[in-house]
Amino acid sequence: MNHRQTLFGIGLDALTMDETVRRCLEAVRRGEQIEIGMVNAAKLVNMRRDPRLAAAVGGCDLVLADGQAVVWAGRVLGVRLPERVAGIDLFMRLLAAAEGADVPVYLLGARQEVLELMLRRISEQFPALRVAGSRNGYFEDADQGAIADAVAGSGAKLLFLGMTSPKKEIFTAGFGKRTGAHVVHGVGGSFDILAGITKRAPLVWQRMGLEWFYRTLQEPRRLGKRYLTTNAAFLLMTVRELIRRTPSAGSANRSH
């Protein structure tokens, strides 16, 4: 069954969280390789400005609505996306599933001290989880091939990338298959949240689509201008698309 919808010229998979988890576990069972791309409002704006990022996300096997604003924009524009599939929630679901099925995982990203903190927290939460390997996310582009080979050598079936955009998308596009992992999932700042370095927004803020605002309150200097700029650009994108899809009043009058 084809779940793919098109929003802003980007193919998005209209899947629920449960359906996404099932699809990932099927890939592991069948020995398939799937690369997951996550999009929120900021990334959709940045994809318009960065063709390399757009190509990397567009080339993923699953592209999911990571931001509530994307789901809402879909509703306004008549594109059905059943729910937000947040990258960190999918990450946690897959860690739990991997622990239950004894599927080895690899964790790549964050600063070394954050990675070590997160690994300790994960071992407490998922004591039976098999971590095949890990590495911090600070490396040169020239090291990508060697890192992909290290992941392949570890035998990991699930690879989680705790890196920022567009670094994680470009790594996935260029070296995802070479890692040998059946599922490659870029989880962004999730390593910092699991390590307890940054706090995630309360559930009520998430449901209201205000997770970005909660993050801005934590890091106003770094994130304030960025979020305001990208959110305004995303709103403008949505309005322009709505106008483009709606027959103008003028053309309607001329038809009479």
Side-chain angles (χ1 to χ4, degrees), residues 227-248:
Y227 275 129
L228 286 174
T229 305
T230 53
N231 285 357
F234 183 72
L235 184 60
L236 190 59
M237 263 172 66
T238 305
V239 170
R240 281 180 174 157
E241 185 67 13
L242 185 61
I243 291 167
R244 191 184 70 78
R245 290 179 179 222
T246 308
S248 71

Side-chain angles (χ1 to χ4, degrees), residues 1-16 20 36-41 43-44 47 54 57-75 77-85 234 237 245:
M1 186 178 173
N2 186 12
H3 294 280
R4 193 68 47 126
Q5 302 275 348
T6 302
L7 183 65
F8 303 116
I10 307 297
L12 288 175
D13 292 280
L15 298 174
T16 64
T20 304
I36 299 173
M38 311 296 290
V39 295
N40 56 20
K43 195 180 293 181
L44 285 169
M47 283 164 67
V57 173
C60 288
D61 304 286
L62 286 181
V63 182
L64 303 162
D66 181 30
Q68 189 61 48
V70 178
V71 177
W72 288 341
R75 285 179 194 160
L77 297 169
V79 177
R80 184 194 163 273
L81 298 169
E83 65 182 8
R84 176 191 183 204
V85 180
F234 183 72
M237 263 172 66
R245 290 179 179 222

Side-chain angles (χ1 to χ4, degrees), residues 156-177:
K157 305 296 185 193
L158 303 178
L159 169 61
F160 300 103
L161 305 175
M163 302 186 293
T164 56
S165 292
K167 189 171 182 177
K168 67 177 179 292
E169 287 84 5
I170 288 166
F171 179 86
T172 299
F175 297 92
K177 295 284 187 280

Side-chain angles (χ1 to χ4, degrees), residues 34-113:
I34 61 170
E35 296 168 358
I36 299 173
M38 311 296 290
V39 295
N40 56 20
K43 195 180 293 181
L44 285 169
V45 169
N46 290 331
M47 283 164 67
R48 294 224 160 163
R49 301 167 180 167
D50 184 347
R52 199 175 170 199
L53 175 61
V57 173
C60 288
D61 304 286
L62 286 181
V63 182
L64 303 162
D66 181 30
Q68 189 61 48
V70 178
V71 177
W72 288 341
R75 285 179 194 160
V76 168
L77 297 169
V79 177
R80 184 194 163 273
L81 298 169
E83 65 182 8
R84 176 191 183 204
V85 180
I88 186 169
D89 294 332
L90 178 58
F91 178 29
M92 299 303 286
R93 287 283 301 270
L94 290 176
L95 286 178
E99 180 188 37
D102 193 31
V103 173
V105 307
Y106 196 104
L107 299 146
L108 172 60
R111 300 192 311 275
Q112 186 62 35
E113 59 271 27

